[in-house]
Amino acid sequence: MNKIDNSQLRSFLEDVGKISPEQLDGLFREAKKSNTYLGMLLLEKKLISEEELQKLEAYILGIPFIDFAHERIDEETLHLIPESIAKKYNIIAYKKTATDLQIAMLDPSNIEVIEFIKKTTNLKILPRLTNIESIREALKQYRKSLEIEFKEILGDTGETRGADITHIQKENANGEEPNTEELKKIAEDLPIVKIVDTLIQHAIFERASDIHIEPNEQDVIVRYRVDGILHDAMTLPKKVARGVVARIKVMSNLKIDEHRLPQDGRFKLETREHKVSFRVSILPIFDGEKIVIRLLPEDAKGFSLTEIGFRGDALEKVQQYIKKPTGIILVTGPTGSGKTTTLYTILDILNSPDVNISTIEDPIEYRMPRVNQTQVKPEIGLSFGSGLRALLRQDPNIIMVGEIRDEETAKLAINAALTGHLVLSTIHTNSASGTLPRLLEMGIEPFLIASTVNLIIAQRLVRRLSGAKKRIPIEKNAIPHITQRINIERVVKFLQKERVIDQKTSFEKILWSEPEKTEEVPTGYKGRIGIYEVLEVTEAIKEIITKQGTADAVEKKAREEGMITMLEDGILKAAEGVTTLEEILRVTSD
């Protein structure tokens, strides 16, 4: 886009008053000296968000700003611009009259594209400004359903078009399995390639975190995990099962003829819109080989602690302890509860040129610039313990250990903290207080735990409500069920302190959100957010630890000192309308 004149942008920013005149003058001089667009400097200094800048530019240019996050475009209008053109030029047709066509673009000054659309549609073109995230949302509406795409690949009868692949489901005449060459041939067969590509593309567009491909006696079930919930995506004919497995093994560089043992692999996919890593796990089961593929977007933007769900006292404690040069911060929760995201968010905050950050992980889920990341490889003797021992000789300031699984790793982490390092790690327990007895079980001396562990964060992930939602009071018959699990008076005081409700509102009068299902968001939920309890190891907690107190004793004292439990943090987010009470109770039911 031909950027707005710096003087023009400066004048509008002065009127808005978002940035101090002194800052604005300094940045204006810097932009002039380096011949840089003022807006770029504002983004670099994080004084304005990209969306705020785009809306301001749109206002200055007199062009409306369009956001497609919750807008359904008429199919006929959308397809006035072919998908290939829409992707290439980041342009979307979204509103049409008898004479006009409104199009959203990243660059409304691109006259050539506007003229091209005008000639092909014979309509007057009205350009509008949008951003790349909005374009991506709109491009999703071009996608065919999985059912339609597979009918095109397999035909209405479920028969594949192209090479005959039925022979791969049968053993050879002499009773042997298909050989490596036969499997490689079928893995490269066009229908199989299309099936796998389509499953992966749809998973990306649906924001799935995992793809499950599960062979049964008669067919193959494909399921996607979206926002933590598994749902059926497609049923494939059994005859394609071996071909799909073979194709994924080839993509993951695994042994194509190994059917008896589990295998783990990885592959990457890069397109104009996406850069995704895929972690593959293949497990032999009775009816064949089950595949689970974890999707790890590499182009995901970094999060802040507030964006992932921290707030209030919990946020302050995390910010306080990550600034300490020594000690241990532990994050706990079950698999898939967002522990890795929390650790990466903290590392992103700490990542600066004046510190050396080293990690030992299994697997490395996201690459981080300036962070030295090491992958565990047990088959060659590189375990968490041996890797951590080596890291300590690399002059680190901050160490991240993917998981404390055994006594050796726990003791090395304790020693690292004692010798002047900040150590971040995860551990599997159900609550923050349960972490301390777990360390005792690993053989760690109580006084060592008390002197090194600074903070324990327990967490779960809950689904966020989408933009559409309705507010209703709680049903009376549900109140007794909730009062069995929480102290109502304590929760109400907490909600009042956080100004979610006023001093006069009782628990019974709080309005709670419910999901409102739409065509774009069938469940009413979109994305997830964390609920947390943050346990600070205070002097009183240390005393309980040294006396080998129970998890209950630790939690009781922490609550007395003001710790908010995961359930209470969840109720706060439900009262704010971020999620639902039902979702909080589901996730914290353990």
Side-chain angles (χ1 to χ4, degrees), residues 474-486:
I474 193 169
E475 294 180 13
K476 287 186 178 180
N477 59 3
I479 293 175
H481 174 66
I482 293 170
T483 54
Q484 289 173 9
R485 298 185 57 191
I486 61 169

Side-chain angles (χ1 to χ4, degrees), residues 282 308 310 419 479 512:
I282 300 180
I308 63 175
F310 285 97
T419 53
I479 293 175
W512 306 90

Side-chain angles (χ1 to χ4, degrees), residues 146 206 214 221-224 229-235:
L146 268 180
E206 288 196 25
E214 304 166 336
I221 304 296
V222 179
R223 297 195 288 171
Y224 292 158
I229 305 295
L230 268 174
H231 65 86
D232 288 352
M234 190 63 199
T235 301

Side-chain angles (χ1 to χ4, degrees), residues 14 36 121 148 223 275 299 404 419 421 477 498 505 563:
E14 284 174 345
T36 306
T121 60
I148 293 170
R223 297 195 288 171
K275 186 178 180 183
D299 52 1
I404 293 177
T419 53
H421 304 87
N477 59 3
E498 294 292 325
T505 303
M563 182 187 81

Side-chain angles (χ1 to χ4, degrees), residues 173-218:
N174 58 7
E176 295 177 0
E177 293 283 328
N179 62 37
T180 303
E181 290 306 313
E182 287 178 312
L183 288 169
K184 279 183 179 177
K185 183 180 176 183
I186 202 61
E188 294 166 3
D189 190 41
L190 188 59
I192 293 297
V193 171
K194 282 186 175 179
I195 287 169
V196 174
D197 286 353
T198 301
L199 288 174
I200 288 170
Q201 289 292 343
H202 273 269
I204 292 170
F205 274 96
E206 288 196 25
R207 300 175 299 104
S209 61
D210 302 87
I211 306 169
H212 289 239
I213 302 171
E214 304 166 336
N216 296 316
E217 187 178 356
Q218 303 294 334

